[in-house]
Amino acid sequence: MTVYLIGYSIRLGYEATVQAALPDVAVLSPVNNCRSSHDVLRHIEQWTQGAQAGDVIHLNCGLHDIRYNAGSHKPLTNLQTYQANLRHIFSRLRQAGAHIIWASSTPFLQSVHNVTKSSRRYLKDIQTYNQIAQDLAHEFGFAINDLYGLMFVQDLTALTVCDGLHFNEFGNEILGNAVAESIRKMIL
């Protein structure tokens, strides 16, 4: 059995905790940040090559999709395109026959993040994009790992680094343990 971890830079932060929590499981993931739904759609077959029945694919994207680049008045990916990208991604993943877990995008400290970065992100957007993704995951019969809900009730000022978006070792440990637990539920 193999576990595939697909996700953006937040995944890079918690990945080591997942691997440590699942020592008897092969955990594979892209070396780099998987970034937006456009990137995931473009590379999903490569990143999950060999996935089959009994394997687990833990997937998420969204924080890059909601990013407003400097000078832009719209997010990188509009809601309709995000939904269409996820529908294509989910259709491809269903063909592998593996267990699929969709993970919601994590919350962030909007005021901190938008002061420290030239780009902008807004919590209202990630909440909307998370809901669209969750509805689609339900439609496809995929499990959902609510990382947004898990971290929303935490003190993010104590768990994030200076950009208000990425997590420190304590935040990554919470996330990694939650991801490992969602995977354990699939393999028992």
Side-chain angles (χ1 to χ4, degrees), residues 11-174:
R11 184 259 315 164
L12 291 170
Y14 64 65
E15 187 172 323
T17 301
V18 174
Q19 290 173 332
L22 301 171
D24 299 327
V25 176
V27 178
L28 302 178
S29 61
V31 174
N32 297 322
N33 181 340
C34 299
R35 303 180 55 83
S36 73
S37 64
H38 300 283
D39 298 299
V40 174
L41 179 59
R42 190 172 18 258
H43 298 287
I44 193 64
E45 290 176 10
Q46 171 192 348
W47 291 336
T48 59
Q49 187 173 5
Q52 58 189 347
D55 290 341
V56 177
I57 300 170
H58 187 278
L59 167 75
N60 106 305
C61 55
L63 284 175
H64 282 272
D65 294 281
I66 68 159
R67 186 184 70 232
Y68 291 68
N69 288 327
S72 178
H73 299 291
K74 59 183 181 175
L76 176 69
T77 311
N78 68 46
L79 195 55
Q80 295 75 21
T81 302
Y82 180 70
Q83 184 176 31
N85 286 350
L86 288 186
R87 188 171 293 283
H88 290 299
I89 293 164
F90 289 2
S91 294
R92 289 180 182 179
L93 290 177
R94 187 188 306 183
Q95 295 171 4
H99 301 289
I100 311 298
I101 303 170
W102 171 258
S104 58
S105 293
T106 51
F108 49 91
L109 297 170
Q110 178 178 299
S111 60
V112 172
H113 180 69
N114 289 347
V115 166
T116 61
K117 298 288 186 178
S118 61
S119 60
R120 300 285 179 263
R121 288 181 173 92
Y122 302 100
L123 282 172
K124 65 178 178 51
D125 289 338
I126 203 58
Q127 293 163 347
T128 302
Y129 282 55
N130 274 341
Q131 187 61 57
I132 290 295
Q134 181 175 313
D135 291 347
L136 268 175
H138 279 302
E139 180 183 322
F140 278 78
F142 297 164
I144 295 172
N145 188 2
D146 185 11
L147 298 180
Y148 183 92
L150 171 71
M151 299 311 282
F152 186 79
V153 298
Q154 307 291 328
D155 177 6
L156 293 182
T157 58
L159 298 175
T160 56
V161 297
C162 61
D163 70 357
L165 179 77
H166 294 93
F167 293 89
N168 62 26
E169 64 180 296
F170 304 108
N172 285 326
E173 186 174 336
I174 293 168

